[in-house]
Structure formats: structure tokens, C-alpha cells
Amino acid sequence: MTTELLSALGDQKRLAVLGALCTTTAASATAASTVADLQDRTGLSERDVQRALAVLGGAGLVSRDSAGLRADLEPIRAAAAAAVAATPVGRVAADFPRLDGCLKNGRIATIPADDRLKAEVGRLVMAALPHRDGYTERELTTELAALGDEPVSLRRLLVDLRLVERNPDGSRYWPA
């Protein structure tokens, strides 16, 4: 479904039609559009609007009923949620509901100031990291960059929380 969805969104005319439907739907919960209305709002020909509606409808983004045409963005929301859930952080985030404010798009966006939440971020990172016996500094930083926006800060956090240990020169890290 994601390929069909992305394909449906990959055309300027279809985006114009969907955008016009979204603004109509947003203006009033009961508002619906007609093909003629969409022609006026987008400047597209009837043929282009009809073609766009066929593709958008096939992707589940447009529904048609007796009142007219409506945009349905639920398939986009569902695809975005599935993409987030497929990330390493997204796979374990449900176990850390207090960290919702620190996460964005399946990544750790901020490290909280609160010590208890920092500890929870550390546990989330350890749960999301690939399980290995050890890492070089570069390997660990690369893995952490896949998890969050501040990999060096995440590495420091793991050391401070004693979730990982390192050799004295900082070149090797391993789980505590």
C-alpha cells in the first residue's frame, strides 16, 4: 500500500486536487467537493481532475458519496505511523511512554533535563541498539546517529548512566 500511496502523491496535478479537497474538508466538516469545484480551485481540466481522482481514490485518499468528494488522509497517517514503528527507536518506544515528548519521527529528538527521564532515555537507547559485545567509538556513534539527533550526547549519557563502559582512551565501548 505504501508504494501505491507514494505513487499517488508523486504528481503535481494529483497533489493539487488532494490539496483542494483537504482545504474544502477543513473548512467544514460537512463540505464536499464536485469535479467542477475542483476544476475551479485547481485550474485543471475536467479530464485531469478525473484522472487525479481515479488514482487518489485507488490509494484510498479520496472517497465519493452522495454529498460529493472528500479527502481521507488516514492512509497517510497510517503509513507514517508504520514508518515510525519500523525504526529502531519506534520498535521499542511503546515500552517508554513517558518519553513521547522526547521522540519525533521514530528518533530521539531531545534529551530531557529531568534525571529520571534521562535514565529512561538511556534504557530506551540500550533497548534500541543492536546487541553487540563491543563497539569502537566510531561504530557506537554511527549506531547512535541512527537513533537520535545528538549521537555524541547520547554516547555521553550512556557512559554517565553506566549503561556502557569504555576503555580509558575512549576508543572502545561495551555494554555494562
Side-chain angles (χ1 to χ4, degrees), residues 16 42 70-71 80 90 93 106 117-119 150 153 161 171 175:
T42 62
R70 297 180 193 283
L117 289 178
K118 277 185 187 177
E150 302 175 34
S153 297
L161 293 171
S171 62

Side-chain angles (χ1 to χ4, degrees), residues 120-131:
E120 210 161 326
V121 168
R123 289 190 296 277
L124 179 143
V125 169
M126 292 305 291
L129 267 178
H131 298 287

Side-chain angles (χ1 to χ4, degrees), residues 12-82:
Q12 291 295 341
K13 291 176 183 176
R14 292 191 292 262
L15 285 174
V17 169
L18 185 60
L21 279 170
C22 287
T23 56
T24 299
T25 304
S28 168
T30 60
S33 289
T34 63
V35 171
D37 179 42
L38 292 172
Q39 282 180 259
D40 291 343
R41 297 185 74 187
T42 62
L44 297 173
S45 69
E46 179 182 358
R47 182 178 180 191
D48 285 341
V49 170
Q50 292 284 12
R51 284 182 174 178
L53 289 170
V55 174
L56 293 168
L61 295 169
V62 172
S63 62
R64 197 182 294 239
D65 60 23
S66 60
L69 299 160
R70 297 180 193 283
D72 180 4
L73 300 183
E74 189 52 39
I76 295 172
R77 288 184 198 97

Side-chain angles (χ1 to χ4, degrees), residues 86-148:
T87 67
V89 170
R91 285 192 283 273
V92 298
D95 297 333
F96 302 90
R98 292 177 5 132
L99 297 178
D100 283 347
C102 302
L103 307 178
K104 185 175 181 182
N105 299 326
R107 295 177 51 80
I108 301 165
T110 60
I111 298 173
D114 179 88
D115 287 341
R116 288 175 296 182
L117 289 178
K118 277 185 187 177
E120 210 161 326
V121 168
R123 289 190 296 277
L124 179 143
V125 169
M126 292 305 291
L129 267 178
H131 298 287
R132 294 179 41 188
D133 291 337
Y135 299 89
T136 66
E137 181 180 33
R138 176 178 277 173
E139 290 168 341
L140 182 58
T141 302
T142 299
E143 294 290 350
L144 293 172
L147 304 180

